[in-house]
Amino acid sequence: MTHINRRTFVASLSSALAGLSMAQGQSQNPSSNDLILGQGEYRWKVVPNWGVLDAATPVKDCHAMVQTKDGRIFLLTNETKNNVIIYDRAGKLLGKWGSEWPGAHGFTLAEENGTEFFYLTDHSRSQFYKVSLDGKVLRTWDAPKASGKYDKKEQVFRPTHVALAPDGGFYVVDGYGQNWCHRYDAKGEYMSSFGGKENLKCAHGCWVDTRGKKPILWVTSRSEYKIKRYTLEGELIDIIPLPGAEPNFIIPFGDHTIIPHLRSNHGKKGKIQSGFVSILDPQNKIISNIAAPAAAYENGELAAMGADVKLFTHPHGLLIDDEQSIYVAQWNSGKTYPIKLQRLKASS
């Protein structure tokens, strides 16, 4: 082999090995435009610099995103210069409002008599609110004193999210407080409570699943690495273990479900501590992990999971739009704007 041929051979071998490494471990640079995430038919790629604005419209912690019927995308941040930032799908600024919510956290889109509105939680103010799309506060709720769960000084109400019930009522989880799940009727009046610190550990997010014969309330027990499912009356049905990951919220995706995990590999040295996103099939098995290896099941049990691509910092809230693009709002990420992921076709 001549010198020049050897050099060509070594260069070709290096390129092949690099390509193999990428295919096996998804180790591309997260800033690369060709970063492909997920497995099988459920794969996405990063859309660079989506929604990046300037100092006139800052973010602090990005907590949640929703899309209204007219296609607008609303981002909730605890930056009180503009708690809510409104984008179009391309990431162009359409508007902003809100300056009174230092603990802005949960953001649920609801509809009443054909009019859309939000339920917004603020754990710093120990309140949650009904808010119009243009930022007008329509109603305010404090801690549910009728529950008897907040009679002592140390029993502080720190609500993190609201889930909609089929009858027009809703549930509020006290995820940063006493870990109760409070049920309200369609008039917004308190009904009952269940859960609590003995049953839920950081009841961060909740969602009522109406896809089956009977509605089921899903609640994240983040510090336990689990999702717990209840009847609407608060009886535990089953538990979905998510070892190695900290589930934040539950987002429906047709008959599938999406879970953003705040962190992964918690407590394990030498591994990336960033979070990732999971896609669950109708049987609640993980069929794709975004920014993490494929889920591994042995004898029906899920093995511990962890990120292998440091794309995300702390994935918090998530939106999947009507084009199946995913937008990830991140907590404690250096005041960065959301990350947009574009769905790839099966043939891509």
Side-chain angles (χ1 to χ4, degrees):
M1 183 180 290
T2 64
H3 178 71
I4 187 166
N5 285 339
R6 175 179 173 80
R7 183 169 57 191
T8 301
F9 170 77
V10 171
S12 299
L13 179 61
S14 298
S15 296
L17 290 174
L20 179 61
S21 174
M22 280 183 166
Q24 291 178 336
Q26 294 184 322
S27 57
Q28 304 101 311
N29 184 338
S31 64
S32 172
N33 293 0
D34 61 357
L35 177 64
I36 305 301
L37 303 158
Q39 297 89 33
E41 298 180 6
Y42 297 91
R43 298 180 301 141
W44 284 260
K45 67 177 182 179
V46 177
V47 177
N49 300 315
W50 185 90
V52 176
L53 303 172
D54 55 28
T57 310
V59 295
K60 190 178 178 183
D61 299 313
C62 294
H63 277 139
M65 302 180 77
V66 296
Q67 184 180 37
T68 52
K69 288 188 293 186
D70 59 12
R72 290 182 296 165
I73 294 171
F74 288 69
L75 166 69
L76 182 69
T77 172
N78 53 6
E79 170 55 69
T80 53
K81 290 183 180 178
N82 38 239
N83 282 126
V84 173
I85 297 171
I86 308 169
Y87 291 104
D88 67 9
R89 192 181 283 107
K92 178 183 177 182
L93 177 66
L94 298 179
K96 51 189 176 180
W97 48 259
S99 60
E100 61 265 50
W101 296 301
H105 191 276
F107 206 38
T108 304
L109 182 65
E111 186 174 335
E112 188 175 65
N113 299 322
T115 300
E116 292 178 294
F117 64 92
F118 304 114
Y119 287 110
L120 187 158
T121 69
D122 186 315
H123 56 79
S124 294
R125 297 184 63 174
S126 297
Q127 293 176 323
F128 64 99
Y129 313 86
K130 181 179 180 179
V131 185
S132 68
L133 296 193
D134 58 1
K136 181 181 179 181
V137 176
L138 305 174
R139 185 170 176 180
T140 300
W141 288 266
D142 295 300
K145 296 295 184 180
S147 68
K149 310 299 184 184
Y150 303 94
D151 295 337
K152 298 179 181 179
K153 183 178 181 180
E154 66 272 16
Q155 295 174 329
V156 180
F157 180 55
R158 299 192 186 280
T160 49
H161 197 222
V162 172
L164 307 178
D167 63 359
F170 55 87
Y171 297 83
V172 181
V173 283
D174 184 15
Y176 288 164
Q178 309 308 308
N179 282 282
W180 293 105
C181 184
H182 303 295
R183 186 181 186 184
Y184 290 76
D185 65 18
K187 295 181 179 180
E189 301 302 320
Y190 170 79
M191 293 178 65
S192 60
S193 302
F194 57 92
K197 291 183 177 180
E198 293 183 359
N199 301 295
L200 293 165
K201 311 297 181 185
C202 191
H204 186 273
C206 56
W207 170 65
V208 176
D209 185 356
T210 59
R211 298 174 296 188
K213 293 181 179 180
K214 291 185 177 181
I216 296 175
L217 176 67
W218 298 41
V219 181
T220 64
S221 189
R222 191 172 76 184
S223 298
E224 289 188 289
Y225 318 114
K226 296 175 181 178
I227 290 174
K228 298 186 177 182
R229 305 199 306 166
Y230 297 86
T231 67
L232 297 190
E233 291 73 34
E235 296 180 5
L236 181 65
I237 298 172
D238 59 18
I239 297 173
I240 303 172
L242 297 165
E246 298 183 3
N248 253 354
F249 289 110
I250 308 104
I251 299 93
F253 175 33
D255 60 357
H256 290 53
T257 308
I258 306 179
I259 309 292
H261 304 289
L262 188 72
R263 284 179 288 255
S264 61
N265 298 319
H266 187 67
K268 295 183 179 180
K269 295 181 180 180
K271 291 189 176 182
I272 298 171
Q273 299 295 307
S274 55
F276 62 99
V277 175
S278 293
I279 313 294
L280 280 64
D281 70 11
Q283 289 71 47
N284 299 323
K285 299 292 185 182
I286 296 175
I287 56 172
S288 183
N289 277 329
I290 300 173
Y297 288 88
E298 185 174 350
N299 297 323
E301 293 188 4
L302 177 62
M305 300 181 292
D308 67 344
V309 175
K310 199 168 185 179
L311 169 65
F312 303 124
T313 305
H314 297 106
H316 195 273
L318 182 150
L319 162 69
I320 184 160
D321 71 12
D322 49 3
E323 294 182 342
Q324 299 189 1
S325 291
I326 291 175
Y327 305 76
V328 181
Q330 300 195 92
W331 168 79
N332 194 21
S333 61
K335 300 183 179 181
T336 56
Y337 296 89
I339 296 173
K340 181 178 180 178
L341 306 172
Q342 182 180 358
R343 176 83 186 269
L344 296 180
K345 297 180 180 179
S347 60
S348 297

